[in-house]
Amino acid sequence: PGHAPQFFNAYDTQQIFELPWTRVMELVELFDKAHAGDPEDNVAARLPVDALLSACVLLSKVISKKQKIRFLLGIFDGNDQRLFDKGKLMRMMKAVYHGIAAMFGIQDTNVERIETFACHLFQRILHVYEDQKGEVLGDATSLPSSLIE
């Protein structure tokens, strides 16, 4: 656990997802415009694993909503502790936003806005958890994945 690659090149993407090369080049166009249009440069293309997997899972029509959430939580729980701190939730939200934005061709990915949203979401879930526990826990608390589901 915790040693997954951060980026796939185009060749790895084709091998892992078993996609036709034209579809891989479409993903390169969406996620790494600097290397788009050069099918020979398949090693230099960098597709962010977190964002790519997040978008693929969320846009799937065959995966149930509950399983989508569980899968996403599993991707970002690198140490398999089933606990989420603010940093993990922020990383997940940034990847989800980046992946969906790329799939829909949106270039404006304001990281600060995403981080603010993730902090507010964490605080809201934390307050629910504190109410359940009957005590104040603070921002450094890790939340169980089941609560985030």
Side-chain angles (χ1 to χ4, degrees), residues 11 14 17-18 22 25 28 31 35 37 42 48 64 75 91-92 94 106 116-117 120 132 143-144:
Y11 177 77
Q14 182 186 31
F17 291 104
E18 296 182 356
T22 54
M25 290 288 85
V28 170
F31 284 93
H35 294 99
N42 61 24
S64 72
I75 291 172
R91 187 173 144 239
M92 182 175 81
K94 285 194 271 188
I106 299 170
T116 301
F117 172 74
H120 286 297
Q132 287 177 355
L143 303 171

Side-chain angles (χ1 to χ4, degrees), residues 15-133:
Q15 296 300 304
I16 291 167
F17 291 104
E18 296 182 356
L19 294 171
W21 190 250
T22 54
R23 182 66 179 131
V24 172
M25 290 288 85
E26 289 172 7
L27 290 173
V28 170
E29 174 74 31
L30 293 171
F31 284 93
D32 188 6
K33 290 198 181 294
H35 294 99
D38 187 2
E40 300 301 318
D41 198 9
N42 61 24
V43 175
R46 293 171 44 98
L47 295 115
V49 173
D50 292 350
L52 180 62
L53 287 176
S54 297
C56 291
V57 168
L58 288 175
L59 294 174
S60 171
K61 294 179 182 179
V62 297
I63 303 172
S64 72
K65 289 178 187 179
K66 189 168 191 161
Q67 291 302 326
K68 287 178 184 185
I69 298 298
R70 285 184 177 165
F71 189 83
L72 285 175
L73 292 173
I75 291 172
F76 295 95
D77 185 13
N79 54 12
D80 292 331
Q81 291 181 329
R82 296 183 179 254
L83 295 172
F84 263 71
D85 59 16
K86 191 186 293 187
K88 280 185 187 177
L89 187 66
M90 195 175 298
R91 187 173 144 239
M92 182 175 81
M93 296 308 297
K94 285 194 271 188
V96 165
Y97 182 83
H98 178 76
I100 296 295
M103 288 293 201
F104 287 101
I106 299 170
Q107 295 300 311
D108 177 32
T109 54
N110 186 328
V111 174
E112 185 178 308
R113 191 176 327 155
I114 300 163
E115 288 175 350
T116 301
F117 172 74
C119 285
H120 286 297
L121 182 61
F122 184 84
Q123 287 298 318
R124 191 166 188 174
I125 298 168
L126 178 62
H127 290 308
V128 169
Y129 192 51
E130 288 173 336
D131 288 345
Q132 287 177 355
K133 290 267 191 194

